[in-house]
Amino acid sequence: MNDPAAIGLSARDRANTEQLEASDPAVSTFVSASAGSGKTKLLTDRLLRLLLTGAKPERIQCLTFTKAAAAEMAQRLQRTLGRWVMLDDAALRRELHALRVEPTEQMLRDARALFGTVLDLPGGMRIGTIHAFCQSLLRRFPLEASLSPHFQLVDENDAEDALTEAREQMLARASTPESQAALEQLAGLTSADHFGRLIATLQDHLPRLHGALAMGSGLAAAQRRVLGVTATSAASVIADAVHWQSEHGLREAASIVRDLGAKKSSERAVRLLDWLCLETQDRQDHWHRWCEEFLTKEGKPRAVSGFVSKAVTDRHPELASVFQAECERVIGILDACAAVRVASVSTALITLVAPVLQAYADHKEAAGLLDYDDLIGRTSRLLIDPGAAWVLYKLDGGLDHLLLDEVQDTAPAQWRIAHALTDEFFAGTGARDADRTVFAVGDRKQSIYSFQGADIEAFDHSHRLLRDRVKAAGMSWRETGLDVSFRSTRPILELVDRVFANPTAAAGVVGEGERLTHYADRAGQAGSVELWPLTQPPDPVEPQPWTVPEQNQGLSSAPQILAETLASWIAQQTGGGVMLESKRRPLVPGDVMVLVRRRNDFARALVRQLKSLAVPVAGLDRLMLTDQSAVQDLMALGDALLLPQ
């Protein structure tokens, strides 16, 4: 796209133009919008323009990803409609004109009436999360979904307790040879708590797990094939590896080095020849010695100089490649051994997890409970099942416009629900007078995080599928982007664009042939990016025997050093010598925000260091209130008092 300044547009004007095009209620649209580009405003504008053009509010379904996003959108819509009631004609005309709506006298009356219309709507506007939509749908069609009409949602604590109970039952009943062998294999690799977390992870991937279990006895072999090995054990991999085709060439190379090499390389050559003289079984028993000669303690291939000196290489240049080839062969064999072990451990894990998840599913079935994954799965099957086609018919009669928010976080199972709705949306459009539209907004770049099972391939596939369906129905389709950021300043955005101008960095983040470009609405505001060097851990200090150290030793680490450095920098910046030009005052600690990937030891070390430097800091403790024993006791008391019994 062209630079807004080059064509006489400010970034704000560009953003308004893009948002007006994207919110056109007559066109189905797929919007690519970066963080901070006004997605919530865009969705609100789309809803307002749909209502102003005569769309019935009860026939609009807006699916967001979080409850907070749904509440924010509903509040914005309500505030805007409420404000319209109070505005005079001139002010209301300006607002309608900003939405590209002709402000006729009738339109003014309709705009003011929308507040009451939406307020009187049973249940309000249909703005909610995908899970809330699924729950509502299953409540409406429980028999078609093979559910009890009185099903309940299981909360996270109850689900965790049920999984724990199922796990304990499995461990108590693990008496078959297969389960005993699986327990022995996993016992030395994981703790009970970590095993519980693995069960919860597999619970999130039930469809794939069911596919694996359907393979029966062929699962282990299939896992090994995926990992590129055919051997059934690491021992068999090593047994096949102790004799190889180029063994004779290596023996000759080692003999030359033994006779002509320097002392160190000659001694290594002798050890290699000794191993090559062993019988097959002895070679297998001493395989680790062979690996130690070719690999370092870190598992990296040794340098050629460790096998043959320069003097010998000058006379026999072919020797270096012989030893390098064996280094690579040894690494490949060790990788194969690791792959076999991974396949074996995976099989053991599935052997133990399968009965746990089955017991958990039986518990939910008996108690009439559903979790969030069940909501998605049951709804997906309900909408796709040919026997329940009339469910889609009933939905089709109640929906005219579908709005999807944050589609980069939409998992494949959730996409199937959206596609089931839109499939009927654009089938037989001539049977109804109303225009039907679909609107989706998201950021492809963010889909790489795979949040909640989101998949970038599913994102691209769904994008194409929506486009093809709309066009096949002979309706208007538009693809647009929001590339103006209201959040970041220009230097930060320019850095991002320059990083992803590199094709290697751009691969998988932007589509093929696309170029990442951002424009800053905060024009003229200061901003900078500093790239600090990686912090290296200090060299360990060897304590002197029989002396008492003056201070604690061995407690410094790279995170600790980084925390100390950053805290000192913040203290210096907020000491009164740095001006915050936008506020015309010195920078103060409250102006500084530190974002960390997780609240780990580094975050705690940073808070401690800031406090030691007398820098006011909002510590992590305010976010951990529910971890305090007193608070947990009060919450448990409240839960007990709220029990119907």
Side-chain angles (χ1 to χ4, degrees):
M1 293 183 179
N2 297 323
D3 191 321
I7 56 178
L9 285 177
S10 67
R12 178 66 60 91
D13 291 337
R14 180 188 181 88
N16 289 336
T17 301
E18 291 173 344
Q19 295 213 4
L20 285 171
E21 290 180 356
S23 62
D24 185 350
V27 180
S28 292
T29 308
F30 197 102
V31 182
S32 175
S34 301
S37 58
K39 292 192 291 290
T40 305
K41 178 183 181 300
L42 173 61
L43 282 159
T44 306
D45 287 352
R46 177 91 179 191
L47 280 173
L48 290 170
R49 294 181 71 179
L50 282 170
L51 294 172
L52 289 169
T53 53
K56 296 182 179 179
E58 67 271 16
R59 294 185 180 274
I60 302 173
Q61 176 69 61
C62 183
L63 298 180
T64 65
F65 195 73
T66 64
K67 294 179 181 179
E72 172 69 15
M73 193 182 311
Q75 289 173 4
R76 287 198 187 193
L77 180 68
Q78 201 72 12
R79 283 198 302 266
T80 301
L81 296 180
R83 190 176 69 254
W84 284 359
V85 175
M86 307 299 295
L87 291 178
D88 57 36
D89 288 354
L92 183 54
R93 282 193 177 94
R94 286 194 296 270
E95 295 222 0
L96 295 180
H97 182 74
L99 291 173
R100 287 189 181 174
V101 175
E102 184 66 27
T104 62
E105 292 297 328
Q106 182 61 44
M107 185 59 69
L108 294 179
R109 289 192 292 271
D110 292 344
R112 291 193 173 100
L114 282 176
F115 179 77
T117 302
V118 172
L119 192 64
D120 294 339
L121 194 66
M125 288 288 295
R126 298 165 70 172
I127 303 173
T129 65
I130 183 73
H131 294 102
F133 170 76
C134 293
Q135 185 177 359
S136 174
L137 188 66
L138 295 176
R139 292 284 185 204
R140 187 176 173 187
F141 302 104
L143 300 181
E144 292 79 1
S146 301
L147 287 173
S148 165
H150 307 291
F151 74 84
Q152 293 181 339
L153 274 181
V154 58
D155 63 39
E156 293 183 3
N157 292 332
D158 290 341
E160 186 176 349
D161 291 342
L163 273 175
T164 301
E165 182 180 355
R167 183 186 72 202
E168 296 301 326
Q169 290 178 355
M170 180 277 297
L171 293 174
R173 300 171 182 172
S175 57
T176 64
E178 293 81 5
S179 59
Q180 288 290 335
L183 276 174
E184 291 177 3
Q185 189 163 14
L186 293 180
L189 298 176
T190 184
S191 63
D193 289 340
H194 187 239
F195 179 60
R197 291 193 293 271
L198 290 174
I199 293 175
T201 300
L202 289 175
Q203 170 69 19
D204 295 336
H205 298 277
L206 274 181
R208 296 174 63 186
L209 180 62
H210 289 155
L213 293 174
M215 302 181 70
S217 59
L219 174 61
Q223 288 178 320
R224 290 194 296 270
R225 285 196 301 271
V226 170
L227 294 169
V229 293
T230 56
T232 58
S233 67
S236 61
V237 173
I238 295 173
D240 294 337
V242 295
H243 293 288
W244 66 102
Q245 188 174 4
S246 57
E247 175 183 337
H248 179 71
L250 181 61
R251 187 190 298 270
E252 289 186 345
S255 299
I256 294 173
V257 174
R258 178 195 59 190
D259 298 336
L260 302 178
K263 180 181 178 182
K264 190 173 182 179
S265 58
S266 179
E267 290 175 351
R268 173 167 280 118
V270 170
R271 294 195 296 270
L272 296 178
L273 291 171
D274 288 343
W275 187 89
L276 290 170
C277 291
L278 296 176
E279 297 295 331
T280 299
Q281 186 59 50
D282 291 334
R283 287 189 180 190
Q284 297 177 34
D285 295 339
H286 296 87
W287 170 251
H288 64 281
R289 284 171 45 193
W290 185 256
C291 296
E292 290 171 358
E293 298 296 344
F294 288 92
L295 305 179
T296 64
K297 291 181 179 179
E298 293 77 23
K300 304 294 183 182
R302 292 190 183 277
V304 175
S305 58
F307 297 100
V308 55
S309 63
K310 185 177 184 303
V312 177
T313 304
D314 291 340
R315 295 177 58 183
H316 299 276
E318 75 282 357
L319 297 184
S321 61
V322 174
F323 290 107
Q324 285 178 331
E326 182 59 16
C327 288
E328 295 172 359
R329 190 184 77 90
V330 169
I331 289 176
I333 294 165
L334 294 180
D335 286 345
C337 291
V340 171
R341 285 192 290 269
V342 167
S344 178
V345 170
S346 297
T347 302
L349 178 63
I350 291 177
T351 299
L352 297 180
V353 168
V356 175
L357 296 183
Q358 184 59 52
Y360 175 61
D362 293 342
H363 166 75
K364 291 190 296 180
E365 185 74 22
L369 300 174
L370 296 181
D371 57 25
Y372 286 119
D373 291 334
D374 294 329
L375 289 177
I376 299 296
R378 295 271 191 168
T379 303
S380 180
R381 289 193 293 273
L382 174 64
L383 296 179
I384 296 173
D385 183 5
W390 82 284
V391 173
L392 280 173
Y393 170 76
K394 295 288 287 184
L395 286 176
D396 185 50
L399 285 181
D400 288 334
H401 306 279
L402 178 65
L403 289 78
L404 304 172
D405 184 23
E406 301 287 9
V407 292
Q408 77 276 353
D409 293 326
T410 303
Q414 297 167 346
W415 271 121
R416 285 194 290 272
I417 295 173
H419 292 323
L421 296 174
T422 56
D423 185 28
E424 201 66 22
F425 236 46
F426 301 105
T429 54
R432 299 203 49 209
D433 296 332
D435 292 329
R436 323 293 293 276
T437 65
V438 61
F439 175 87
V441 58
D443 185 5
R444 185 183 188 275
K445 300 186 295 298
Q446 296 183 47
S447 196
I448 63 175
Y449 294 110
S450 300
F451 184 59
Q452 297 288 345
D455 180 82
I456 197 166
E457 292 183 359
F459 178 93
D460 291 337
H461 170 73
S462 298
H463 182 178
R464 294 190 298 269
L465 188 58
L466 286 175
R467 177 193 62 202
D468 294 344
R469 282 180 174 172
V470 173
K471 289 186 175 181
M475 304 181 72
S476 300
W477 171 261
R478 178 179 296 156
E479 296 186 19
T480 186
L482 303 183
D483 50 19
V484 176
S485 173
F486 295 90
R487 184 175 301 169
S488 299
T489 55
R490 184 171 181 176
I492 297 172
L493 297 174
E494 285 182 346
L495 174 69
V496 173
D497 291 346
R498 290 188 182 184
V499 168
F500 290 101
N502 185 319
T504 303
V509 176
V510 296
E512 186 176 354
E514 297 180 9
R515 182 181 178 86
L516 197 62
T517 305
H518 294 92
Y519 302 105
D521 175 67
R522 296 170 59 185
Q525 296 190 22
S528 64
V529 177
E530 292 185 12
L531 299 180
W532 288 18
L534 293 177
T535 302
Q536 299 294 334
D539 295 330
V541 179
E542 291 292 337
Q544 297 296 323
W546 313 114
T547 61
V548 178
E550 296 181 358
Q551 59 184 3
N552 289 337
Q553 296 179 348
L555 297 181
S556 295
S557 62
Q560 178 69 31
I561 294 173
L562 178 59
E564 294 172 357
T565 305
L566 183 56
S568 299
W569 182 84
I570 293 174
Q572 185 271 328
Q573 294 286 308
T574 59
V578 177
M579 291 296 296
L580 186 62
E581 298 297 338
S582 60
K583 303 292 185 181
R584 296 183 179 179
R585 60 168 173 77
L587 188 74
V588 298
D591 297 323
V592 180
M593 175 184 288
V594 180
L595 299 179
V596 294
R597 294 184 63 182
R598 57 180 61 89
R599 287 159 45 204
N600 52 15
D601 291 340
F602 166 73
R604 288 184 282 271
L606 178 60
V607 171
R608 285 196 302 268
Q609 192 64 24
L610 286 170
K611 288 182 177 180
S612 71
L613 296 175
V615 177
V617 55
L620 303 175
D621 53 343
R622 67 174 184 173
L623 300 176
M624 304 289 288
L625 188 62
T626 54
D627 286 353
Q628 304 304 311
S629 299
V631 176
Q632 290 178 344
D633 290 343
L634 290 173
M635 292 170 63
L637 174 62
D639 290 340
L641 294 175
L642 290 173
L643 286 173
Q645 295 85 347

